[in-house]
Amino acid sequence: MAEKDRLRERYRALRAAMPSAARAAADEAIAAQVGGLPAFAGADAVFTYLSFGAEVDTRALIKRTWAAGKTVALPRVVPGTRQMRWYAVDSLDGLERSPFGVDEPATDPSREVVPGDVRRPLALVPALSFDREGYRLGYGGGFYDGFLADFPGVSVGLCRAAQLSEEALPRDAHDVPVALIATDQGVLRR
C-alpha cells in the first residue's frame, strides 16, 4: 500500500503542476479521441464520471453524448459501501454534492441505469494514472474496481499522456484493466 500511496502523491503533484491551458488542450484532444471511437459511436449509454478539480474534464464528452442522442449516466456512491449506482441525467443542474466533494445525481429509481440492462454500454473511467496494460492507479476507494469487474461493455480510461505510467503500476488480484486508454496523443489498446 505504501507504494500506491507514494505513486498517488507523485501523480497528484504531476497533475497539479500542469498549467491549466495545457490541461485544457489535452482534455480537448482526449474528448476528440473518445468521440472518434467506434465503441462511442455504437454505444447506447455512456457511464461517465463528472470531473472535478484537475481530473480529465468530461463535460465536453457529456455534451457530445447528449448531442448524439445517447444516455448519459453518472454515478452515485451507495453510503457505507464501495458500490456505485448509475442514474441517467439530462442536465448537470440539480446535482448534489457528496461527502467526497463530487457532484452526484439524486437517487431516483425511475432514472437508474443498470449497465447489464444496456445493449451497448461504454464506460469512461478516471484515474491518477494508467499503465500501458490498462491498469489504473485510482484514489484508493475501490469504487471503480468493483464496477469494472462486472461491467459488460467497453471501458475507456481517460488519461493525459503526461500522466501515463511507462512502468507497470502496482496491482491487486481484484484489479481489472480498462480495454482502451484515450490520451491526448492517441488511443492505446491492450
Side-chain angles (χ1 to χ4, degrees), residues 25 31 41 67 69 80 87 114 124 142 165 169:
Y87 297 91
V114 177
L124 303 181
S165 176
L169 291 168

Side-chain angles (χ1 to χ4, degrees), residues 10-11 14 18 127-136 157-169 178 180-188:
R10 175 181 162 200
Y11 283 107
L14 179 69
M18 185 178 283
L128 289 165
S129 180
F130 286 90
D131 65 22
R132 291 185 172 273
E133 293 180 42
Y135 287 93
R136 61 187 288 279
L158 305 185
C159 185
R160 297 178 191 107
Q163 291 170 241
L164 189 65
S165 176
E166 293 300 327
E167 299 171 8
L169 291 168
V178 293
L180 306 169
I181 304 168
T183 78
D184 43 306
Q185 296 180 1
V187 175
L188 303 173

Side-chain angles (χ1 to χ4, degrees), residues 27-168:
D27 295 356
E28 187 176 312
I30 290 168
Q33 295 288 351
V34 172
L37 291 172
F40 178 81
D44 299 312
V46 177
F47 295 78
T48 182
Y49 66 101
L50 178 61
S51 54
F52 79 106
E55 288 183 322
V56 172
D57 192 357
T58 55
R59 284 163 178 79
L61 281 165
I62 289 169
K63 290 175 185 169
R64 186 179 211 150
T65 303
W66 284 327
K70 302 172 189 300
T71 299
V72 170
L74 293 179
R76 182 175 182 95
V77 170
V78 178
T81 74
R82 290 180 181 244
Q83 297 176 339
M84 297 182 292
R85 290 220 166 117
W86 297 82
Y87 297 91
V89 295
D90 302 315
S91 166
L92 298 180
D93 298 329
L95 299 177
E96 302 170 353
R97 184 67 43 104
S98 78
F100 298 104
V102 177
D103 289 335
E104 296 179 328
T107 301
D108 178 351
S110 72
R111 306 284 297 165
E112 187 169 1
V113 184
V114 177
D117 293 345
V118 175
R119 199 163 51 115
R120 293 181 310 251
L122 177 76
L124 303 181
V125 181
L128 289 165
S129 180
F130 286 90
D131 65 22
R132 291 185 172 273
E133 293 180 42
Y135 287 93
R136 61 187 288 279
L137 178 67
Y139 299 100
F143 297 101
Y144 276 89
D145 294 322
F147 170 68
L148 290 171
D150 296 323
F151 187 70
V154 177
S155 56
V156 182
L158 305 185
C159 185
R160 297 178 191 107
Q163 291 170 241
L164 189 65
S165 176
E166 293 300 327
E167 299 171 8

Side-chain angles (χ1 to χ4, degrees), residues 1-12 82 128-129 131 135-142 145 168-176:
M1 198 55 139
E3 175 67 6
K4 281 190 176 182
D5 290 340
R6 185 187 66 72
L7 287 169
R8 283 186 184 103
E9 283 182 32
R10 175 181 162 200
Y11 283 107
R12 273 192 179 102
R82 290 180 181 244
L128 289 165
S129 180
D131 65 22
Y135 287 93
R136 61 187 288 279
L137 178 67
Y139 299 100
D145 294 322
L169 291 168
R171 58 189 74 143
D172 297 316
H174 64 270
D175 290 342
V176 177

